[in-house]
Amino acid sequence: MRCDIISIFPEYLEPLKLSLPGQAQRKGLLDVAVHDLRDFSHDRHRTVDDTPYGGGAGMVMKPQPWWEALEHVRTLGDGTPTLIVPGPGGEVLTQRLARELADEDWLIFACGRYEGIDERVYEAAADVMPVRVISLGDYVLNGGEVAVLAMIEAAARLLPGFMGNAESLVEESHEDGLLEYPVYTKPATWQGREVPPVLLSGDHGKVAAWRHQQRLERTAARRPDLLHASSALTPGGVDDRW
Ligand SMILES: NC(=S)c1ccno1
C-alpha cells in the first residue's frame, strides 16, 4: 500500500515512522510519503488560504496549491489513487471501511485546515480519481492530520504481514460486530481482585464460551446499536457488512 499525505504540518505525520507503521515501511508493506502543501504555493509568503466568498469567519484553503500538489503526487505512483479527505462531513470510519482502505493499492490523504478546502478541488479531483470524505466521528478537529494517523493505522494493521501475529486480529472489537472481551494477566490476585476462575481452568471450551458471553454483555451495555447487525449473534449467519 502506498500512502501520500499532503499537509501544511508535515511534522504531524512523524509518528508514522514509529513502531508498527515504521516496521511496515521497512518491510515494504507500506510506503508513506508526506508532502508540504506550501511547496505548491508560489507567493513569497507561501500562502495557502484566503477569505471565504460569501463572508463568514475563518479562511478557506485556496484551490491552486491543492491542485498542483495533487497533480504532482499523481505522477509519483502507478495506477489511479483514491483521494481521502478527512472531515466531519464524511462517512464515518468503521472496521469495514478500514478494510476497504486496506484493499486499496494507493491512497492520497488531503489534510484540510482552517474552514476547509475550496469545493472545486473535490470536483476537479473527482474527474481523475475516486474521492472519499471520511470522518473519525461526529466531532470537529482543527485539521485532518490526526485523523489520517488513525485511518492509516486502522487500515495498515490489516495488511497481511503487518501484525506479527495475525491471530491478534481475530475477535477484536468490531471484527464481527461485537466488542472485545476483557483480558487479564499475572498476577492471579491483584489488590484483592481475582482473575475470573474460568480463565484458570484450562478448559478451552469454557473459556471460549465465557469470552463470547462477555463480548455479548459488553456490546449490549456499551454499544447496543451494534448488536442487531452482529454476525456473532446468528451462529453460521453471514454479516453482510463485511
Ligand atoms: N471528524 C474529523 S475526521 C475531522 C477532521 C477535521 N475535523 O474533523
Side-chain angles (χ1 to χ4, degrees):
M1 171 187 279
R2 179 183 174 118
C3 294
D4 286 277
I5 307 157
I6 306 169
S7 169
I8 60 171
F9 294 121
E11 62 276 15
Y12 237 110
L13 287 309
E14 285 295 305
L16 289 175
K17 297 177 181 176
L18 305 175
S19 188
L20 284 176
Q23 288 172 27
Q25 291 178 71
R26 289 185 287 278
K27 285 180 182 174
L29 295 171
L30 181 64
D31 286 316
V32 175
V34 182
H35 312 271
D36 187 338
L37 180 67
R38 294 191 188 279
D39 291 345
F40 301 92
S41 181
H42 303 301
D43 68 289
R44 65 194 180 96
H45 296 299
R46 293 163 47 95
T47 307
V48 294
D49 62 313
D50 207 329
T51 54
Y53 279 120
M59 304 291 275
V60 173
M61 303 191 92
K62 296 162 61 70
Q64 169 270 331
W66 273 109
W67 185 244
E68 286 195 22
L70 289 170
E71 284 297 84
H72 167 69
V73 170
R74 282 194 325 125
T75 67
L76 302 177
D78 300 321
T80 303
T82 292
L83 176 62
I84 307 294
V85 187
E91 54 188 309
V92 176
L93 183 66
T94 62
Q95 192 66 11
R96 171 181 179 172
L97 182 43
R99 287 198 170 281
E100 290 180 27
L101 297 181
D103 288 340
E104 295 287 347
D105 292 326
W106 186 11
L107 298 173
I108 300 177
F109 292 90
C111 299
R113 283 268 155 177
Y114 312 118
E115 298 308 309
I117 302 170
D118 187 300
E119 188 67 18
R120 291 168 292 181
V121 175
Y122 295 80
E123 295 168 5
D127 285 345
V128 295
M129 59 186 145
V131 179
R132 297 182 82 164
V133 180
I134 299 177
S135 176
L136 291 186
D138 296 333
Y139 49 84
V140 181
L141 303 170
N142 283 339
E145 289 81 5
V146 167
V148 167
L149 290 173
M151 292 175 194
I152 290 179
E153 174 149 333
R157 66 192 299 277
L158 300 175
L159 296 173
F162 183 91
M163 300 288 281
N165 176 9
E167 279 299 305
S168 61
L169 293 174
V170 180
E171 286 192 334
E172 284 190 322
S173 283
H174 303 291
E175 270 305 322
D176 58 2
L178 291 180
L179 302 185
E180 55 205 1
Y181 51 76
V183 291
Y184 301 82
T185 188
K186 302 177 186 63
T189 301
W190 176 75
Q191 290 190 353
R193 302 175 188 276
E194 305 288 336
V195 169
V198 66
L199 299 180
L200 308 178
S201 69
D203 184 326
H204 299 303
K206 286 184 178 177
V207 170
W210 180 85
R211 284 174 167 174
H212 185 65
Q213 183 59 28
Q214 289 295 309
R215 297 183 73 205
L216 291 172
E217 290 175 11
R218 271 192 167 189
T219 306
R222 298 178 185 175
R223 289 294 305 277
D225 59 299
L226 295 178
L227 269 187
H228 73 282
S230 169
S231 60
L233 286 180
T234 52
V238 176
D239 186 336
D240 63 1
R241 290 184 303 158
W242 271 269

